[in-house]
Amino acid sequence: MTLIALHIYWVKMDVANLLKRIEKNWESRFSKEIKDRNREWKTVSDSHIEFRVLFDPGREKIYRNLNSERKECPFDKIIPMKKDTIKGDLLFYGQNIYPYFDHQFMAFPIQHRCLPTKDDLNELIELTKIAKNYTIMMNMEGAGANIPEHIHYQCIRETLPIDKLSGKKIKGNNHFYIEEINYTIYALRLKWNNKNGQNKCQELVLNYNKPINLYIYNDRMYMIPRTANYPQSSPNTKIGCAEVGGLFLITSREIYDKCNFNYLENMLKEVTICKPK
Ligand SMILES: [Zn+2]
């Protein structure tokens, strides 16, 4: 066996190990707490888009605590010191201790930097080849990030509604293609057939260099440009990555009750580049 094969074998073992630990941790630490938060789900749709909405009244308290507690970047010293954190090739992986979706964990570089790199994306794409039912999400500064000065990736065991939508091909060759999604806001799917295509898609995402939300899967990424606005219609709801992908987390009962399709669509339009009618 060559050194490279050994290395890949090691990485695969480690990711499988990480996922096993996440599952175990989830059951022992969070499943009861989450149950006690009395969350509720609903689905609202128009003729072809289906938004999913999670109401989590316990989450609001956590937001408040997070904002009042934070004095320094938690990704620099605090989280990497925790014994549950696992080091990958480049990124660190650890449980999200304030999970908003089930089985959630995070990936982040040890360097304090605000932009993603090609190596980050390579490692995360490798991760999704093993963690097949996960969506990896990223908010850039101005795109809903809570800690924008240190890039980090949220990994959730959910499929986002946007991933089920069809698209219209706007560019491509044998290696990759880009589609504009048939969605309520402007969103691109970048899909590759081989390593050349993957490189091209990564370059396109990294060169854009303006606020975006990004979703990473093993053979595709989604990119949604943001306007760096916060929604007027919902001061209690921060619109981050999951939301622009069609999966909403709502902490206020009043807003949850108002969440019909048009209400949510308007929220998305306020924070993204929406399509002209
Ligand atoms: Zn940092």
Side-chain angles (χ1 to χ4, degrees):
M1 208 189 294
T2 65
L3 268 178
I4 293 169
L6 264 173
H7 175 71
I8 290 168
Y9 180 70
W10 179 83
V11 170
K12 279 190 176 166
M13 283 293 288
D14 218 44
V15 172
N17 187 20
L18 164 77
L19 294 175
K20 225 183 268 169
R21 275 205 231 172
I22 299 283
E23 299 291 318
K24 212 172 139 201
N25 231 347
W26 180 264
E27 289 311 322
S28 62
R29 266 184 88 177
F30 298 105
S31 63
K32 185 177 181 311
E33 182 211 311
I34 290 274
K35 225 177 259 163
D36 291 347
R37 283 201 219 157
N38 296 317
R39 301 188 303 174
E40 286 173 39
W41 282 97
K42 74 178 175 186
T43 300
V44 294
S45 55
D46 76 347
S47 53
H48 82 290
I49 302 168
E50 201 167 71
F51 292 140
R52 294 174 64 218
V53 192
L54 171 62
F55 170 52
D56 185 349
R59 183 74 192 160
E60 203 160 12
K61 203 173 128 218
I62 290 166
Y63 275 139
R64 275 202 302 271
N65 290 347
L66 269 179
N67 291 336
S68 60
E69 271 172 18
R70 193 162 80 84
K71 289 187 183 70
E72 58 183 356
C73 174
F75 298 113
D76 293 353
K77 288 193 187 115
I78 309 161
I79 301 175
M81 293 295 282
K82 288 191 190 299
K83 68 176 185 338
D84 275 348
T85 309
I86 294 173
K87 171 94 175 66
D89 277 355
L90 170 77
L91 302 173
F92 277 77
Y93 296 86
Q95 187 94 43
N96 183 327
I97 58 164
Y98 303 109
Y100 33 96
F101 296 109
D102 293 3
H103 305 268
Q104 183 170 1
F105 65 97
M106 293 181 302
F108 55 94
I110 196 65
Q111 308 93 344
H112 184 83
R113 56 173 159 86
C114 59
L115 293 175
T117 66
K118 197 170 175 206
D119 289 336
D120 291 1
L121 300 183
N122 277 334
E123 186 165 321
L124 293 165
I125 290 165
E126 284 305 311
L127 173 80
T128 59
K129 289 180 183 164
I130 302 159
K132 284 194 166 64
N133 46 3
Y134 275 84
T135 299
I136 299 184
M137 314 188 294
M138 181 203 85
N139 297 334
M140 268 172 63
E141 183 165 15
N146 272 328
I147 304 167
E149 69 273 19
H150 196 138
I151 190 80
H152 54 285
Y153 306 89
Q154 299 288 351
C155 313
I156 62 168
R157 213 174 67 177
E158 294 280 349
T159 304
L160 296 177
I162 191 176
D163 196 35
K164 294 180 190 154
L165 296 174
S166 60
K168 192 178 83 198
K169 198 165 166 178
I170 53 175
K171 187 181 167 69
N173 56 31
N174 292 339
H175 307 298
F176 77 102
Y177 62 86
I178 302 175
E179 286 179 331
E180 187 185 340
I181 310 289
N182 298 321
Y183 196 29
T184 193
I185 53 175
Y186 189 65
L188 296 176
R189 179 187 287 131
L190 301 92
K191 194 166 185 316
W192 52 89
N193 303 319
N194 54 35
K195 193 70 186 169
N196 275 344
Q198 183 186 323
N199 284 335
K200 185 71 191 165
C201 293
Q202 288 172 331
E203 267 171 37
L204 288 167
V205 165
L206 295 170
N207 289 342
Y208 183 70
N209 201 20
K210 286 181 192 150
I212 55 164
N213 293 120
L214 187 74
Y215 312 115
I216 302 165
Y217 296 97
N218 64 73
D219 63 350
R220 61 197 182 280
M221 285 188 284
Y222 290 83
M223 182 174 129
I224 302 185
R226 295 281 294 253
T227 55
N229 288 339
Y230 289 102
Q232 299 298 314
S233 52
S234 177
N236 296 324
T237 306
K238 188 153 189 174
I239 302 297
C241 215
E243 281 79 9
V244 292
L247 177 60
F248 290 81
L249 176 76
I250 306 287
T251 57
S252 137
R253 164 64 73 184
E254 195 194 336
I255 300 217
Y256 181 69
D257 289 342
K258 276 193 214 165
C259 284
N260 57 28
F261 187 85
N262 288 342
Y263 187 84
L264 295 172
E265 188 183 41
N266 285 337
M267 262 198 227
L268 295 187
K269 286 181 173 173
E270 281 181 52
V271 298
T272 58
I273 299 169
C274 56
K275 291 186 217 172
K277 285 268 179 200

